[in-house]
Amino acid sequence: MARAKKNDRETFKAPRNLGKSSSENPKWLVPAIVTLLVIGLAWITVHYITQGAYPFPIYNWNVLVGFSFFAVAMGLLTRWK
């Protein structure tokens, strides 16, 4: 007994965008990430150049503030598709 051949119309075809997100990145995402990284780098650089007196006289806490900008930017990078 021979098996009947299926028509092309009956054959299942997977969607082309399977596993891909349906939307693009928000337009604000990349500029926000770059801005936060630049601000964090500038904050820490100013802190070391002025020996802890600027941007605020909180001395070594300025390093924590600068790295906080980096941390927020890395958190936003998890949303990048």
Side-chain angles (χ1 to χ4, degrees):
M1 205 181 254
R3 294 174 76 184
K5 188 175 179 182
K6 291 184 179 181
N7 292 354
D8 286 336
R9 289 178 288 160
E10 296 176 14
T11 304
F12 174 75
K13 293 183 181 178
R16 298 187 124 228
N17 62 354
L18 188 65
K20 295 180 182 177
S21 62
S22 60
S23 65
E24 295 290 322
N25 292 326
K27 294 190 185 294
W28 57 267
L29 186 63
V30 174
I33 291 169
V34 171
T35 302
L36 287 169
L37 289 173
V38 168
I39 289 173
L41 180 63
W43 195 288
I44 292 173
T45 303
V46 168
H47 164 72
Y48 279 114
I49 289 174
T50 62
Q51 299 174 351
Y54 291 103
F56 292 111
I58 53 176
Y59 305 104
N60 288 335
W61 287 100
N62 279 314
V63 176
L64 180 68
V65 173
F67 277 108
S68 297
F69 282 110
F70 288 150
V72 172
M74 293 302 139
L76 287 177
L77 277 171
T78 61
R79 296 187 55 171
W80 192 9
K81 298 175 188 171

